[in-house]
Amino acid sequence: MNVAVVVLNEFRNDSRVEKVSRSLASKGFVVSVYATAGANLPKWESKNDYEVIRPYETTKKVTRWGRILSSICLFWKLWKDLSKIRIIHCNDLEPLVFCILLKVIGSDQTCVIYDAHELETEKEAAVGLRKILSRIAESILIKKVDGFMTVSPSIASWYQKRYDLDEAIVILNCPYLFRGLKKNLLRKKLNISDNKTIVL
């Protein structure tokens, strides 16, 4: 089953999107991350068990208007690929209107999962008219999604109360499990005995 993971950034250092994509791929899904164009980033690349698709290549830094153009081109690419996509995993509020539109175009064959990485309408950048429009858009669009997930129990509870959601799945932003080898380098270097506690 094909999953389109949609994010309106260049996908350079988005650890949550990377982990979601790797997890889906490990469960047998065919995952494509759709991201915006960025300076010196390829139009297509393979990362672990999934692919990254950007609308075009550029050597220049992408400015505000360039980001808007890149986003439009990104959704044109998504629309062209829609026939093979079954799940759209939408990251953040900004691309949600386009993802819901793609769901309408795709009819019953496409479902949308909304992944709110924070309180989308309450973040610092959402002020004035932008905040008002964001609240209106989210209140309408969240009723159209097939699944909702977020990053913490408190944010999940806020969304459930605000929009009367039946379910809000919590996927924590945890680092990858790392099992380090225990070494006594500090004790050896400073000649500290094993029975003494070290406070850093």
Side-chain angles (χ1 to χ4, degrees):
M1 185 179 293
N2 290 61
V3 179
V5 178
V6 181
V7 60
L8 285 189
N9 65 41
E10 301 170 353
F11 194 58
R12 285 184 195 269
N13 301 301
D14 198 322
S15 63
R16 182 174 178 84
V17 174
E18 179 192 345
K19 287 176 211 168
V20 164
S21 301
R22 287 181 64 182
S23 295
L24 288 168
S26 73
K27 298 298 180 185
F29 292 95
V30 179
V31 180
S32 301
V33 176
Y34 288 79
T36 56
N40 303 310
L41 289 173
K43 187 174 178 181
W44 181 91
E45 66 179 310
S46 177
K47 287 198 171 215
N48 300 308
D49 299 324
Y50 61 93
E51 66 177 350
V52 181
I53 299 169
R54 298 181 184 90
Y56 54 84
E57 292 182 23
T58 180
T59 56
K60 298 177 182 177
K61 182 180 179 182
V62 179
T63 61
R64 180 181 179 186
W65 291 108
R67 188 169 177 255
I68 291 170
L69 173 64
S70 179
S71 298
I72 292 168
C73 294
L74 171 70
F75 286 103
W76 172 254
K77 174 67 177 157
L78 264 166
W79 180 74
K80 290 199 318 187
D81 293 346
L82 191 59
S83 61
K84 64 182 182 182
I85 297 169
R86 291 298 172 265
I87 299 170
I88 299 174
H89 185 106
C90 177
N91 292 276
D92 301 319
L93 178 58
E94 287 83 4
L96 188 57
V97 63
F98 294 104
C99 292
I100 294 298
L101 182 60
L102 290 168
K103 176 186 174 180
V104 171
I105 295 169
S107 64
D108 293 336
Q109 71 177 13
T110 309
C111 69
V112 174
I113 308 300
Y114 177 31
D115 187 346
H117 295 190
E118 53 188 307
L119 291 175
E120 293 294 328
T121 61
E122 310 306 310
K123 57 190 178 184
E124 190 176 348
V127 294
L129 181 60
R130 182 174 178 177
K131 183 188 246 347
I132 293 167
L133 293 175
S134 294
R135 285 179 173 177
I136 292 169
E138 189 173 63
S139 66
I140 294 168
L141 298 172
I142 203 165
K143 302 294 184 185
K144 310 284 186 192
V145 301
D146 300 285
F148 173 76
M149 59 192 285
T150 190
V151 296
S152 74
S154 59
I155 292 178
S157 177
W158 185 92
Y159 271 98
Q160 284 181 292
K161 289 174 185 172
R162 177 95 175 209
Y163 299 118
D164 193 29
L165 300 180
D166 293 331
E167 185 178 26
I169 297 168
V170 174
I171 306 291
L172 299 173
N173 281 340
C174 298
Y176 291 113
L177 179 64
F178 174 74
R179 300 187 189 279
L181 296 174
K182 187 173 180 181
K183 297 179 181 179
N184 283 319
L185 297 178
L186 191 61
R187 290 185 186 280
K188 289 176 183 175
K189 182 80 174 173
L190 300 177
N191 199 23
I192 301 171
S193 63
D194 290 343
N195 63 343
K196 289 189 177 177
T197 302
I198 299 174
V199 179
L200 296 177

